[in-house]
Amino acid sequence: MTAMHDFYVYISYWLDPFFLIYFSIINIVYTILLFFGSIKVYQRRKELRIEDFTHLLRSNSLPEISFLLPAYNEAHNIISVVSNLLGLSYRYKQIILINDGSTDNMFDLLKEQYHLIPIPRYYDEVIPTKTVRGVYRSTTHSELIVIDKENGEKYDALNAGLNACKDPYYISIDADTYIDNPGFEALIRPMLAYPKTIAIGASLRIRNGCTLNFNRISTDRFPLNFVTAMQSIEYLRAFLMRQGWDFIGGNYILSGAFSMFRTDAVKWAGGYAPTVADDLEITLRLNRMFKATQKPYIIKYLPDPVGWTEGPSTIKALSRQRFLWHRGTMEAAWFHRCFFFNFKYGRYGLFVYPFLIFGEILEPAVEALGYIYIIIGLWLGIINAYYLFLLLATIWGFVLIFSLCCLLIEELSFRKYPTLRSMSYLFLYSLLENFGFRQLTVLWRLRGIKGFFKRYHLIRIDSKNINAMVEGIYKKTQRSR
Amino acid sequence: MNIFSSFNINEFVITILIVELVILFVLVAVLTIERFWFHFKKKREIRNKKIISHMLLECLEGKQGASPLSLQPFANQETLLSELEAFDRRFQGDAWETIEKTTSRPYLLPRARKYYNSFFWLRRNFAARCFALTPLPEDEEKILQLLDDPIFLVRDIAASAAIKLQSKQGVLKILHLMGSETGYGYYYYRDTLLNNGTVQIFNWIEEFASQIMDQKIHLTCLDLLAGKTMTISDDFLRKDLDSKDAGTRLAAIKVFAHNIQKDSADILLKYMDDSNAEIRAQASLGLAHFLSKDTLEKLEKALGDSSWIVREQAAWSLKKMGKAGLDILNKQIMEKNKNAYEAAQYALQFDW
């Protein structure tokens, strides 16, 4: 026991400053991002007052935009999602739904509801995918095209949709995400304001507990329960952070549930890669390839909440989602490890990517280590319980202030939760976040790290293929110059 | 030596906790005050807008003369401008224009002339909006300067002002902008020109197309000329048709296909045999306007083209041509030519 005591005291000389420096740096970065994010939201709020694109959106000379909607076993909500997209007032849209080998009755439902009939394959398969069994078009809504293919993963379905997409821009959207007209119109804005834009992401909100009437979201009954409220607070925080990244020109992720891309840019980059974090991967790859080939580009992130996505409503479903997200983040980061402190990639190599590694991927491991360190210290009687309580209260107080700032910024800007009930619930739940929920998310993300190492033999092959493809494209681009 | 041993951690943590509590209290207080302030502000704005709107309507009905001088106490310039813009979308004619000018001149234009050079883009945007509402020849220089603004939300409104003012230099600048801007910006200018451009402006565009050798601007002019119905002197168009560059040939064919000229049919028939699939598709599209034996034969042949876009376009054109075209589509047989049959069935089953 004494030896253990001495050993604990010895390592505490190293671990105490390590924890202090690590969490201080992380929290300072978050505070800076929050500050920058707030500036972005403030600027956007000012723009919203004068922005009027009604004239443009009524015009007869707009390009078509495709919605790529990959769906697997989504029979329960596919009709409402497709109706939501069909109901958007933008006239020049095409919805490309990819049935990724669903085993439920989703395809039959679509056939029946939209009177699908087979049409000739009108495109070439530029990006290889699993076998496409047929292409269908709706006789009642001619803007709806359904590609029926064998089961791959989401990335494979997106690639099949990308092959069929002939329009200059496309929007990738999840089969559980809903959008409204103002949100969609806001998404087009950066294409107007910044002509070099190749991709645009925007804030998402949790839909559970909200109602959708004629493409208008009502949040009066939000939030539904603790799990969805927690996710809402997390989303508010995460999307404000992304605003901060956008401010310094370091966007590294656009939400796969709803983002807009320039078709030729993604096709040039080789389409989507085999990982569950396809959204993070494609954003990292676009950044990497455009920087390496010195092509001018902009990736924007809008503060406007444009999409409403169905979050997991049970702890079990949430744990699965977080496990996959963390594993996917690690996969994508591993594919593009060439960023790591690489001067060639500017702020991405020196700041953004290292933060992704140390601030996001390794954070649950360090936090878990901290919890273990505290528990052992308490058990050995080295840590004073009173001091510990004060320290934890300070840390959690900081997190609470952070959440409240996000709520305040939401209240000052977009007001998507207009009722006093919604705001009060969100405030109360943010008080409870640190007691149990935060520790659970650490546990789920640790499982993600374990899952990464379990799949490492496959990830290594994928990484090799992706990097070879990227190198091939570089050579081709250089030759064409 | 542990770094914590050098100072009193207890006091330090308690101080931070107190600071955090104060911040929390302030945040909750700001949240509550903002709720009430928002409602109050909104109510006041609606009231002011109502008053301005009522006064403008009274002016239009002739109840209050043509100078609504009593507007000032109720509105800041931003509210007044947005109300005038809303009215401008709804009303036209001499009466409205007089009211618009008499209101803008004293209330808005002096501020716009001060703001057009401002460091803040929101002020430049305000200036551009005022000029777009009431463009006067003496402000042409300022409008041209705003067309070079780095912010799109200023450039776009300045473009509307230049078109409304019928400024030749302004139109040329817009063409340069269209040539250099990718993305949606291009469509914005295109639409503004097509919707608000007068015959005079399109005559200038034709002149620029024949004189300017810059490829991007030339193609932009052709694209605009394809969107209007007007007679075009076809000397430069013929040169473009013979160009080695497929993009230029395609733009010229688009003019003949969309903006029908006297010899469109012959040219479109000729370019049905071009090596570029997009040009063949455009020619097929244009031929829908000319019902003749030659056209029907060419389009029927195009149903078996190697490119889907040509087959699809030819089938649509035949469908648009009425009974003669529909007969051709219906007689296609799967066994004889699978491609032609598929394209015919596609056009028959779907609307354009």
Side-chain angles (χ1 to χ4, degrees):
Chain A
M1 193 77 178
T2 326
M4 207 171 170
H5 185 279
D6 290 346
F7 179 69
Y8 189 90
V9 172
Y10 173 71
I11 59 161
S12 70
Y13 290 148
W14 303 99
L15 278 182
D16 284 358
F18 166 72
F19 284 128
L20 184 73
I21 293 166
Y22 179 83
F23 285 110
S24 299
I25 292 175
I26 298 281
N27 286 331
I28 287 168
V29 173
Y30 279 143
T31 311
I32 294 170
L33 290 175
L34 176 78
F35 177 69
F36 286 155
S38 314
I39 296 175
K40 284 284 299 181
V41 175
Y42 173 72
Q43 286 174 341
R44 180 73 189 124
R45 194 186 167 198
K46 273 183 138 183
E47 276 178 4
L48 274 173
R49 278 195 297 135
I50 54 160
E51 176 176 288
D52 182 13
F53 293 142
T54 334
H55 157 67
L56 174 74
L57 292 165
R58 278 196 208 132
S59 95
N60 294 316
S61 51
L62 286 176
E64 272 207 344
I65 292 178
S66 288
F67 286 87
L68 301 193
L69 179 65
Y72 175 71
N73 286 354
E74 295 279 356
H76 54 289
N77 59 2
I78 196 69
I79 300 297
S80 62
V81 171
V82 174
S83 307
N84 170 247
L85 293 179
L86 287 170
L88 287 175
S89 57
Y90 189 76
R91 282 181 289 164
Y92 312 96
K93 60 179 181 286
Q94 186 169 53
I95 299 154
I96 303 176
L97 192 153
I98 308 105
N99 173 33
D100 194 24
S102 296
T103 49
D104 63 359
N105 62 338
M106 185 184 88
F107 189 53
D108 296 330
L109 265 176
L110 285 165
K111 258 184 166 174
E112 197 184 316
Q113 179 75 22
Y114 297 110
H115 303 277
L116 301 178
I117 58 162
I119 58 165
R121 181 95 61 90
Y122 62 91
Y123 58 89
D124 300 322
E125 201 178 275
V126 185
I127 306 161
T129 63
K130 289 267 167 76
T131 313
V132 171
R133 296 188 284 231
V135 182
Y136 299 80
R137 193 172 173 187
S138 163
T139 47
T140 52
H141 299 82
S142 55
E143 63 267 49
L144 175 65
I145 284 177
V146 177
I147 296 172
D148 183 30
K149 67 178 275 290
E150 282 175 7
N151 181 246
E153 277 179 54
K154 189 188 162 195
Y155 79 91
D156 193 59
L158 279 169
N159 282 339
L162 200 56
N163 281 332
C165 176
K166 296 276 170 199
D167 303 324
Y169 302 102
Y170 76 88
I171 291 172
S172 70
I173 182 166
D174 278 358
D176 54 8
T177 301
Y178 295 79
I179 49 178
D180 53 8
N181 278 321
F184 173 71
E185 286 161 16
L187 201 67
I188 301 174
R189 195 192 68 88
M191 293 289 182
L192 276 165
Y194 313 99
K196 290 184 190 105
T197 311
I198 56 165
I200 309 162
S203 301
L204 287 176
R205 297 289 156 85
I206 294 288
R207 186 185 159 259
N208 309 45
C210 304
T211 46
L212 188 83
N213 260 332
F214 297 104
N215 284 1
R216 294 255 170 231
I217 284 275
S218 159
T219 54
D220 292 352
R221 283 177 53 237
F222 184 85
L224 204 58
N225 57 28
F226 177 75
V227 179
T228 51
M230 283 330 332
Q231 289 175 76
S232 274
I233 295 162
E234 281 184 328
Y235 271 50
L236 280 177
R237 265 200 314 255
F239 287 110
L240 201 63
M241 292 305 99
R242 290 184 193 174
Q243 284 313 305
W245 287 118
D246 187 69
F247 187 85
I248 56 170
N251 281 316
Y252 65 91
I253 179 165
L254 304 178
S255 174
F258 190 51
S259 323
M260 189 171 178
F261 293 91
R262 220 172 69 196
T263 314
D264 59 350
V266 180
K267 280 188 177 171
W268 172 73
Y272 290 86
T275 166
V276 275
D278 50 85
D279 45 2
L280 170 67
E281 199 282 331
I282 192 70
T283 321
L284 279 176
R285 184 142 43 96
L286 286 172
N287 275 309
R288 177 181 165 184
M289 294 179 70
F290 272 77
K291 279 215 179 293
T293 51
Q294 292 174 340
K295 286 186 177 187
Y297 77 102
I298 295 174
I299 294 179
K300 289 298 291 177
Y301 207 95
L302 272 187
D304 307 54
V306 295
W308 297 80
T309 189
E310 194 89 25
S313 50
T314 61
I315 286 282
K316 197 180 165 191
L318 187 65
S319 84
R320 169 96 188 135
Q321 186 199 52
R322 294 303 155 92
F323 158 73
L324 287 174
W325 278 4
H326 205 75
R327 197 190 75 193
T329 306
M330 289 182 76
E331 286 171 4
W334 182 248
F335 293 163
H336 302 290
R337 54 193 179 278
C338 62
F339 271 119
F340 197 65
F341 286 116
N342 190 337
F343 282 91
K344 198 170 107 183
Y345 298 107
R347 71 195 77 168
Y348 277 91
L350 300 177
F351 189 62
V352 179
Y353 188 84
F355 184 81
L356 176 70
I357 299 291
F358 295 116
E360 283 204 17
I361 291 175
L362 295 179
E363 198 265 346
V366 179
E367 197 171 333
L369 187 69
Y371 288 129
I372 294 166
Y373 177 67
I374 288 169
I375 290 166
I376 296 173
L378 279 174
W379 179 58
L380 292 172
I382 298 170
I383 295 179
N384 181 319
Y386 173 66
Y387 280 171
L388 176 69
F389 169 74
L390 284 181
L391 202 69
L392 287 179
T394 330
I395 295 164
W396 290 341
F398 176 80
V399 179
L400 183 61
I401 288 175
F402 212 80
S403 304
L404 269 183
C405 281
C406 295
L407 282 179
L408 181 67
I409 291 164
E410 165 68 17
E411 179 71 12
L412 291 172
S413 53
F414 301 106
R415 283 180 173 266
K416 288 290 174 181
Y417 303 114
T419 62
L420 202 63
R421 178 189 173 275
S422 306
M423 280 309 257
S424 317
Y425 267 106
L426 286 175
F427 172 64
L428 284 175
Y429 283 136
S430 57
L431 284 172
L432 299 173
E433 189 190 0
N434 288 308
F435 306 102
F437 184 79
R438 190 180 167 85
Q439 291 72 19
L440 274 177
T441 56
V442 171
L443 202 68
W444 299 331
R445 287 186 293 158
L446 280 175
R447 278 183 53 222
I449 297 177
K450 191 180 152 198
F452 171 80
F453 288 110
K454 238 173 147 177
R455 269 190 96 239
Y456 181 68
H457 59 288
L458 297 172
I459 294 165
R460 208 172 61 174
I461 299 166
D462 289 339
S463 171
K464 213 172 154 186
N465 292 339
I466 289 163
N467 284 299
M469 180 190 76
V470 169
E471 290 302 324
I473 297 169
Y474 286 166
K475 279 182 192 155
K476 227 166 129 184
T477 312
Q478 271 168 1
R479 270 203 302 272
S480 65
R481 276 175 182 174
Chain B
M1 193 66 192
N2 192 314
I3 61 158
F4 290 137
S5 56
S6 55
F7 65 95
N8 188 337
I9 190 167
N10 193 11
E11 271 181 24
F12 176 70
V13 173
I14 288 177
T15 316
I16 292 184
L17 258 179
I18 292 169
V19 172
E20 281 181 352
L21 278 172
V22 171
I23 296 173
L24 276 174
F25 178 76
V26 171
L27 282 174
V28 174
V30 173
L31 258 170
T32 321
I33 294 166
E34 163 64 18
R35 287 239 141 204
F36 289 109
W37 176 241
F38 177 79
H39 284 290
F40 170 72
K41 227 167 65 179
K42 204 162 187 186
K43 253 182 162 179
R44 198 181 56 182
E45 197 183 320
I46 292 170
R47 194 200 65 178
N48 283 349
K49 279 193 169 182
K50 261 186 190 169
I51 293 170
I52 298 171
S53 169
H54 183 72
M55 283 184 173
L56 289 173
L57 279 173
E58 283 204 330
C59 286
L60 270 169
E61 286 164 10
K63 287 180 189 169
Q64 227 198 60
S67 176
L69 287 171
S70 43
L71 281 171
Q72 200 155 24
F74 301 101
N76 61 25
Q77 273 132 336
E78 193 63 48
T79 320
L80 177 62
L81 177 61
S82 66
E83 271 310 279
L84 282 174
E85 283 173 336
F87 267 72
D88 194 51
R89 283 194 284 268
R90 282 154 59 201
F91 297 102
Q92 278 179 338
D94 293 341
W96 167 243
E97 273 178 23
T98 317
I99 294 168
E100 193 182 62
K101 273 182 188 157
T102 45
T103 318
S104 302
R105 272 197 166 129
Y107 292 131
L108 300 176
L109 287 176
R111 182 66 62 98
R113 285 169 192 145
K114 214 165 114 189
Y115 278 179
Y116 84 100
N117 232 348
S118 168
F119 172 76
F120 302 103
W121 76 267
L122 277 172
R123 289 185 169 187
R124 299 198 300 277
N125 169 277
F126 177 86
R129 284 165 70 195
C130 294
F131 292 140
L133 192 71
T134 323
L136 299 174
E138 61 259 38
D139 294 322
E140 190 176 355
E141 278 297 309
K142 297 175 186 75
I143 293 170
L144 291 177
Q145 188 180 321
L146 288 170
L147 271 171
D148 290 328
D149 201 276
I151 303 285
F152 177 81
L153 289 172
V154 178
R155 287 199 302 274
D156 66 336
I157 302 167
S160 299
I163 292 167
K164 206 168 168 184
L165 186 64
Q166 302 236 34
S167 155
K168 190 174 179 180
Q169 253 186 299
V171 173
L172 185 60
K173 270 207 169 179
I174 296 171
L175 292 177
H176 276 280
L177 283 175
M178 287 175 78
S180 60
E181 292 206 35
T182 51
Y184 260 59
Y186 180 87
Y187 300 98
Y188 183 87
Y189 297 120
R190 183 180 193 270
D191 202 59
T192 312
L193 274 169
L194 287 176
N195 284 334
N196 306 326
T198 55
V199 178
Q200 175 67 65
I201 285 178
F202 274 86
N203 286 337
W204 289 334
I205 291 173
E206 192 186 339
E207 192 186 315
F208 295 143
S210 57
Q211 288 169 0
I212 297 175
M213 290 299 116
D214 181 285
Q215 172 82 345
K216 278 182 179 170
I217 296 177
H218 188 74
L219 290 181
T220 305
C221 291
L222 291 184
D223 183 33
L224 287 165
L225 292 173
K228 263 295 201 234
T229 306
M230 60 187 281
T231 312
I232 302 167
S233 99
D234 56 4
D235 295 346
F236 72 92
L237 277 179
R238 285 191 182 276
K239 261 190 229 162
D240 289 337
L241 284 174
D242 296 334
S243 166
K244 281 180 187 164
D245 175 48
T248 312
R249 283 207 310 278
L250 178 65
I253 276 289
K254 269 186 186 170
V255 178
F256 284 105
H258 293 270
N259 181 2
I260 303 301
Q261 305 293 309
K262 64 177 189 303
D263 47 359
S264 274
D266 297 337
I267 289 167
L268 294 173
L269 277 170
K270 184 181 159 196
Y271 280 86
M272 284 294 285
D273 299 321
D274 195 277
S275 57
N276 184 300
E278 275 189 80
I279 292 176
R280 296 201 298 278
Q282 275 301 322
S284 306
L285 184 144
L287 284 178
H289 302 288
F290 306 98
L291 180 60
S292 71
K293 204 180 152 215
D294 288 350
T295 316
L296 288 169
E297 274 174 14
K298 273 278 183 202
L299 287 173
E300 187 176 3
K301 198 180 152 203
L303 283 178
D305 194 282
S306 57
S307 163
W308 164 255
I309 54 165
V310 182
R311 296 201 294 274
E312 183 194 26
Q313 200 54 66
W316 288 122
S317 293
L318 282 168
K319 190 180 178 184
K320 275 202 247 169
M321 290 167 103
K323 192 178 172 300
L326 283 171
D327 288 345
I328 293 174
L329 291 177
N330 281 319
K331 78 176 187 194
Q332 301 304 315
I333 309 163
M334 174 83 160
E335 289 74 28
K336 204 175 159 192
N337 187 337
K338 193 188 164 210
N339 280 347
Y341 173 78
E342 275 182 348
Q345 287 305 310
Y346 189 70
L348 286 170
Q349 276 161 338
F350 295 104
D351 287 330
W352 174 256

